[in-house]
Amino acid sequence: MPNQTENSSPLGHVIVIDDDASVRRSLSTILERIGYSVSLYDCADAFLQNPLVPSPAVILLDMRMPGTTGIGLQSQLKTLAHSVPVIFVSGDSRPEEIITAMKQGAVDFLLKPFSAQALMDVIERAMCMSHEAVQTNNKNMLVSERLKLLTRREMEICHWMVRGYSNQQIAIIDGGASATIKLHRARVMVKMAADTLPQLIEMLIGLDIPGPIRQTAQA
């Protein structure tokens, strides 16, 4: 069974998965002293029984454990918690295992024994990455909710807007009246809570804005 703290720290949460009880105790003492909240698991399979990951969080993962290996769990985390940084800790790992871990996105690899300072440095770096991922996810969720407010017609206009087309250019491509395009454009800005076009473009970077599904007029 995992040993979990009751409250989450504003600094973030560290999930320690290691089959060595002394290592778990040592890591927990260091991390809680710094101010992180900590969850302890004695193997990957114990974590997989109830894979709860607070936000922001970092996973400290042993490479060699009974049952599911560290590499095996890391692969599953791509689905369970793809944005949570993983740091491997190990006292006995083959070079190919380290290479695989890094290729799968591990933030770092600490070889036992390692210093408390080395641990703090890599945890701090990984936690910053987790904070940024949480902010990005929250922003994308908010923008996605705003996009749902757009009508199909407004979505079409938004598609052309973020590509830098003016009202007149959209009217030529779209076949609509310039005044009507202007009205839809204004509604898009209001619903998306964007004050300027660059602000709208920035908030939609990385998101797929579907193009017009109807046949557009030729210029």
Side-chain angles (χ1 to χ4, degrees):
M1 294 294 292
N3 178 11
Q4 297 183 320
T5 57
E6 293 183 359
N7 300 315
S8 180
S9 165
L11 286 181
H13 193 86
V14 181
I15 297 172
V16 178
I17 306 175
D18 196 304
D19 63 341
D20 188 325
S22 64
V23 170
R24 293 196 304 273
R25 287 194 299 269
S26 176
L27 291 175
S28 178
T29 298
I30 294 172
L31 293 168
E32 289 180 343
R33 185 178 299 154
I34 296 170
Y36 295 110
S37 57
V38 182
S39 294
L40 304 177
Y41 295 86
D42 59 9
C43 64
D45 292 323
F47 169 77
L48 288 171
Q49 290 177 6
N50 189 25
L52 297 178
V53 181
S55 295
V58 170
I59 295 178
L60 273 179
L61 180 58
D62 191 17
M63 178 65 73
R64 302 282 184 83
M65 294 175 288
T68 302
T69 65
I71 290 290
L73 176 58
Q74 184 191 23
S75 180
Q76 295 186 56
L77 287 171
K78 292 179 180 179
T79 300
L80 297 174
H82 71 279
S83 63
V84 178
V86 174
I87 301 166
F88 275 96
V89 293
S90 180
D92 179 25
S93 295
R94 296 187 296 269
E96 59 269 23
E97 291 175 325
I98 298 176
I99 292 172
T100 299
M102 301 308 289
K103 283 185 176 180
Q104 290 188 164
V107 173
D108 212 329
F109 204 107
L110 295 174
L111 293 174
K112 301 174 184 176
F114 47 83
S115 68
Q117 187 61 54
L119 173 67
M120 289 188 290
D121 289 345
V122 70
I123 287 287
E124 182 178 358
R125 178 161 56 90
M127 196 63 73
C128 285
M129 296 170 60
S130 184
H131 275 283
E132 291 174 359
V134 169
Q135 292 174 355
T136 298
N137 289 338
N138 289 341
K139 171 227 171 189
N140 288 342
M141 289 178 59
L142 177 60
V143 172
S144 295
E145 289 301 313
R146 291 175 181 172
L147 283 171
K148 293 177 182 178
L149 301 175
L150 301 184
T151 65
R152 189 181 74 178
R153 189 76 179 100
E154 290 164 353
M155 187 71 77
E156 292 176 354
I157 301 304
C158 184
H159 171 86
W160 296 118
M161 288 173 63
V162 297
R163 285 159 177 77
Y165 286 81
S166 66
N167 293 348
Q168 186 175 5
Q169 290 172 324
I170 296 174
I172 293 173
I173 296 172
D174 186 76
S178 182
T180 303
I181 300 299
K182 182 178 180 180
L183 177 61
H184 287 308
R185 189 185 187 106
R187 288 174 176 169
V188 168
M189 297 294 286
V190 170
K191 290 183 179 181
M192 295 302 298
D195 296 324
T196 64
L197 181 58
Q199 184 181 6
L200 177 67
I201 294 173
E202 181 181 0
M203 72 171 62
L204 294 177
I205 290 176
L207 297 179
D208 182 33
I209 306 302
I213 60 175
R214 58 192 177 83
Q215 184 66 38
T216 59
Q218 298 296 320

